[in-house]
Amino acid sequence: VNESIMIRYLDFLHSITKGRPCALLLDVFKAHHTINVITRANELNIQLIYMPANGTSLFQPLDRKIFGIVKFKLRKFAKSDIYSGKY
């Protein structure tokens, strides 16, 4: 994910919520908190809520358990580490 993809995701989320206020929980990955992302979220009435660094296991257990298994299987299937990403 980069800034451009994040902004596109915010626009997509806005289309689903039909402009109603909403909140989005995010980790502190750098593309999630650029000035442009924050500005666009404010324009779209989306509140960005950031999980503390190193808190994934506490605050996002699905990311550690279920999604971790899925990512492992994708890497194995692709015989690549492209799904690993940097955190």
Side-chain angles (χ1 to χ4, degrees):
V1 172
N2 59 33
E3 179 184 73
S4 173
I5 292 170
M6 188 63 201
I7 290 171
R8 285 178 39 206
Y9 182 72
L10 293 173
D11 290 335
F12 170 74
L13 184 59
H14 180 72
S15 72
I16 290 174
T17 63
K18 299 185 182 354
R20 293 185 301 269
C22 69
L24 181 60
L25 300 173
L26 299 164
D27 58 21
V28 292
F29 184 68
K30 79 177 179 178
H32 294 166
H33 59 86
T34 67
I35 295 297
N36 291 329
V37 167
I38 293 167
T39 300
R40 186 67 178 146
N42 287 335
E43 291 169 355
L44 299 175
N45 209 12
I46 300 172
Q47 181 181 2
L48 303 178
I49 301 171
Y50 297 99
M51 296 293 117
N54 301 314
T56 301
S57 62
L58 294 172
F59 302 111
Q60 295 175 289
L62 284 177
D63 200 42
R64 295 279 298 162
K65 306 286 188 219
I66 304 300
F67 299 140
I69 293 167
V70 171
K71 289 175 186 177
F72 172 78
K73 290 190 181 286
L74 284 172
R75 282 192 300 273
K76 187 176 177 182
F77 176 74
K79 294 181 174 60
S80 169
D81 61 354
I82 63 169
Y83 300 104
S84 297
K86 290 185 178 183
Y87 298 101

